[in-house]
Amino acid sequence: MLRVAELCKEKGITQQTLAKKLGIQYQSLYAALNGNPKMDTLEKIAEALGVSVVELFSPVEKTDILGIIRVKGVYHEVKSIEEIKKLVEDYEAGNTTSE
């Protein structure tokens, strides 16, 4: 199932506005979204929304955390709270070299 409605909402535009950006009537966009759109149609929709074609189907996970933590002289790249928690657990367990 395509996420076009969700993406339009995130971008602050309506599907009617998206159709205008694509140079088509809303009914044509509606038909494409509720049918089996061709790859070139998906590419045009993705470009108009500023996302990848993959993001039309599923959100791409983006992380809010990216950092480097030094533990006892060893540097660890972290991308999530879970990775930070694991570093803390490893530190408390005396294992400071795991990544």
Side-chain angles (χ1 to χ4, degrees):
M1 181 171 188
L2 293 175
R3 302 176 49 237
V4 173
E6 178 184 342
L7 290 166
C8 283
K9 187 175 181 178
E10 286 178 13
K11 304 288 180 181
I13 64 171
T14 65
Q15 289 185 35
Q16 290 82 358
T17 302
L18 175 60
K20 287 179 187 174
K21 284 178 111 176
L22 295 168
I24 62 174
Q25 296 291 318
Y26 171 71
Q27 291 81 3
S28 299
L29 177 62
Y30 181 85
L33 297 178
N34 290 294
N36 190 14
K38 295 180 181 179
M39 187 62 176
D40 66 323
T41 302
L42 294 173
E43 289 170 345
K44 289 175 186 174
I45 292 169
E47 184 178 335
L49 290 170
V51 298
S52 68
V53 172
V54 172
E55 290 176 278
L56 294 176
F57 296 93
S58 176
V60 174
E61 187 175 323
K62 295 182 175 118
T63 178
D64 290 355
I65 298 173
L66 178 59
I68 305 292
I69 297 176
R70 186 179 73 188
V71 180
K72 299 235 178 185
V74 177
Y75 290 90
H76 304 271
E77 180 179 357
V78 293
K79 298 178 186 168
S80 68
I81 294 292
E82 289 74 24
E83 289 180 10
I84 294 171
K85 287 179 182 177
K86 177 150 178 27
L87 278 174
V88 170
E89 289 170 2
D90 288 347
Y91 178 78
E92 290 175 341
N95 180 9
T96 58
T97 60
S98 71
E99 300 197 27

